Amino acid sequence: MSAQAPSIAFGIQGLGVHIPERRVSNADIADQYGVDPEWIERMTGVRQRQYAEPGQATSDLAVSAAEHALADAHLSPRDIDVILVATSTPDQLAVATACRVQHRLGADRAWATDVGGACAGFLYALKTARDILAASHPDGRALVVGAETFSKFQNPADRSTGVLFADGAGAVVVGPSGPGRGILCSTQGTDGALADIVGIRAGGSARPTTGHTVAEGGHYLHMNGKKVAAYFHDVFPRIVEELVQLSGLPLNKIDLVVPHQANPRMLRALSLEVGISASQLVVTADTFGNTGAASIPMALHVAREQGRLHPESTVLHAAVGAGMSWAGTVQRWL
C-alpha cells in the first residue's frame, strides 16, 4: 500500500538518541562464535556495536532518547498527544513498552502504544503518527521512538545474529510543518508467507514458554540469513523506485539516503547497484551494528552531527524487517 502525504503537512521537529555506553568489538565476541575478528568485518562490515547494561530495559533506552528529542524540539512531555514505540524487544510480552515510556516521561496528556514491523517498525510508526495527527490532532505532536535491546535475545551459539544485532534507541517529535516540507510520501508492504525466516519463535500464544522451548533456544532471535538477504535484495530496489515515483524526485535530487542499517557491506553493495552514490548513502551499522527499529533515527542523528543533514535536505528512507515487512518514506528536513 502506498500513499502521498495528506493535505496537512507534518515533519520531524526534534531528534534524539540513546547510545549505550558498553562498546563491544569484534575481538570481544569472535571466540564465542568460532571466527576471527577480521572474518566478522569482512562478512558484515560491522567493526563494533553497543550493548545495554544487564539491568537496562528497552524502555530505559527509549526514555533517554525521547528526552533528548523533546529537548531538541524545545517541548515538554505535556506537549505530546500520542507516543508510538517501535520495537521487537519490548520490556515484556503484555503491556506496551510505550506505556512505561509515557509514565516515566510524565507525558500524561498522551495516549501510548507499541508498533510492530520489526526493523521496518520506525517507518511504520512514523507513517502512523502522521496519519493520527492529520485525523485527530492537526495542531498536535507525536513522539515516535525506535528502541531495541537485541543483546538480551541473542543466542550465544548463533553467529548469524550475534555478530550483527545490537542495542540503541532513537526518537523524533513529529508536528505540523509548512507545505512542501516534512514527510512527502510513504510506502509500506507485508509478505506474511515469509514470517518464519527471522524472528523469535517461542514465548507467544503459538508456542508458550516451556522448559523445552528454553532448552532449544526458542526464546532467542533466529534468522535464515540467506533468505533474509535474498528478500532484501529483491525489495530494497522496489522501495527506492516507488518512492522516486511517489515523490516526483529523481534519485539524483535526493540529498541523503538513510536506510535501515541491516548490514553495512550489503547496504553499500546494493545501493551502488540501485544508483545511490556514496555521498548520498548514510551507513552507521559499521559502528553501531544492526539496531533494528532504532537504526534510522540513530543514523539521522549521525548525519546531522556530521553536517550532512540540513534544513530543506531531501531524505529517502527504506527499511525491511521481519514479517516480512517493508516500508519507505521521503521527507524534506525541517
Side-chain angles (χ1 to χ4, degrees):
M1 183 176 70
S2 306
Q4 296 282 1
S7 56
I8 305 173
F10 295 92
I12 292 175
Q13 299 179 336
L15 169 66
V17 299
H18 177 85
I19 299 169
E21 294 182 1
R22 186 155 60 113
R23 180 177 300 174
V24 179
S25 70
N26 289 344
D28 292 328
I29 60 173
D31 286 347
Q32 174 183 344
Y33 295 113
V35 297
D36 57 59
E38 293 76 19
W39 182 90
I40 298 174
E41 183 169 355
R42 185 170 65 253
M43 297 302 293
T44 68
V46 178
R47 298 194 302 273
Q48 62 182 44
R49 71 284 291 149
Q50 315 290 133
Y51 285 174
E53 296 299 328
Q56 285 184 305
T58 294
S59 61
D60 295 317
L61 280 57
V63 167
S64 175
E67 290 172 338
H68 288 300
L70 287 167
D72 191 49
H74 305 289
L75 295 172
S76 79
R78 298 203 80 249
D79 293 319
I80 299 301
D81 297 279
V82 58
I83 298 172
L84 302 175
V85 174
T87 183
S88 296
T89 56
D91 285 14
Q92 59 195 79
L93 191 59
V95 177
T97 300
C99 296
R100 300 194 184 282
V101 172
Q102 183 258 11
H103 173 66
R104 290 180 54 188
L105 288 174
D108 52 7
R109 287 187 53 254
W111 60 271
T113 191
D114 287 357
V115 175
C119 295
F122 177 78
L123 294 185
Y124 276 23
L126 190 65
K127 157 73 171 165
T128 304
R130 186 192 67 178
D131 290 354
I132 291 170
L133 291 176
S136 304
H137 305 282
D139 298 318
R141 291 176 177 85
L143 180 64
V144 177
V145 186
E148 307 283 11
T149 51
F150 281 119
S151 65
K152 298 175 184 290
F153 297 87
Q154 287 174 346
N155 186 334
D158 179 14
R159 73 185 185 197
S160 70
T161 57
V163 302
L164 274 177
F165 288 91
D167 306 341
V172 299
V173 176
V174 180
S177 64
R181 303 179 72 205
I183 299 166
L184 303 180
C185 65
S186 63
T187 181
Q188 303 81 34
T190 300
D191 190 346
L194 299 173
D196 292 328
I197 66 174
V198 57
I200 298 174
R201 294 190 176 102
S205 61
R207 296 194 69 206
T209 302
T210 64
H212 177 71
T213 64
V214 172
E216 70 177 13
H219 56 297
Y220 290 132
L221 178 68
H222 78 93
M223 181 173 70
N224 184 323
K226 289 184 178 178
K227 289 187 176 179
V228 171
Y231 188 79
F232 192 94
H233 275 78
D234 175 52
V235 171
F236 184 85
R238 289 196 277 125
I239 299 173
V240 173
E241 182 180 355
E242 187 164 354
L243 289 173
V244 165
Q245 293 176 358
L246 287 171
S247 68
L249 294 169
L251 195 51
N252 63 7
K253 296 297 183 184
I254 298 290
D255 296 309
L256 289 179
V257 176
V258 184
H260 160 54
Q261 303 290 309
N263 174 315
R265 186 178 69 87
M266 183 172 68
L267 272 180
R268 290 190 171 97
L270 187 54
S271 294
L272 191 61
E273 293 176 19
V274 173
I276 298 168
S277 70
S279 64
Q280 291 173 298
L281 183 64
V282 176
V283 176
T284 58
D286 42 9
T287 54
F288 293 147
N290 181 342
T291 56
S295 72
I296 285 179
M298 290 174 68
L300 275 172
H301 184 266
V302 169
R304 189 172 67 173
E305 291 289 299
Q306 293 174 339
R308 300 174 66 186
L309 180 61
H310 310 281
E312 302 295 332
S313 291
T314 50
V315 187
L316 184 149
H317 304 291
V320 178
M324 294 298 287
S325 303
W326 56 266
T329 296
V330 174
Q331 63 169 314
R332 181 167 284 114
W333 194 250
L334 301 184

